[in-house]
Amino acid sequence: MARTSLVNRQARRAALVARHADRRAELKRTIAHPDTDPATRDAAVRRLARLPRDSSRVRLRSRDVVDGRPRGVLTRFGLSRVRFRDMALRGELPGIRKASW
């Protein structure tokens, strides 16, 4: 079980990413476009740097949706490997069966 403060911090980051996503994408498009003049590009770089650091999507961490465990998360299910195995063995995941041969 992850500390509640870390899960809450992740939720705040996700909200910041959602709030600034359009502005960040627009600035990145301006910076990357080859026809942008240097003065406009410099201004866009400065405006991008002024955005909150946590509004960048790469600062998000995938966490287990049940208990918030940060490592070994299976993206397809949103569960950590530990929680996935436990739920699968108890039959709580439809369509998932333990392999045996």
Side-chain angles (χ1 to χ4, degrees):
M1 183 75 185
R3 290 190 344 232
T4 309
S5 61
L6 296 179
V7 175
N8 292 340
R9 183 187 306 163
Q10 180 70 10
R12 280 195 308 271
R13 280 185 182 145
L16 265 176
V17 167
R19 189 178 338 150
H20 293 286
D22 295 335
R23 183 69 180 143
R24 183 174 281 278
E26 177 189 334
L27 289 171
K28 284 186 167 256
R29 248 190 324 272
T30 303
I31 293 168
H33 197 275
D35 294 336
T36 305
D37 61 300
T40 307
R41 181 174 283 122
D42 289 342
V45 168
R46 275 189 248 104
R47 277 184 274 152
L48 184 64
R50 275 199 310 254
L51 287 176
R53 179 179 286 176
D54 282 342
S55 69
S56 176
R57 195 167 182 332
V58 298
R59 290 182 65 95
L60 291 178
R61 174 99 189 188
S62 58
R63 288 187 173 270
D64 186 332
V65 295
V66 177
D67 63 359
R69 187 177 201 279
R71 304 220 175 184
V73 177
L74 304 172
T75 309
R76 183 174 176 185
F77 300 96
L79 300 169
S80 68
R81 59 184 177 77
V82 178
R83 176 76 49 188
F84 176 81
R85 186 170 190 271
D86 186 42
M87 290 177 76
L89 287 175
R90 283 187 276 147
E92 296 177 0
L93 298 175
I96 304 298
R97 223 173 31 165
K98 186 175 186 296
S100 60
W101 57 86

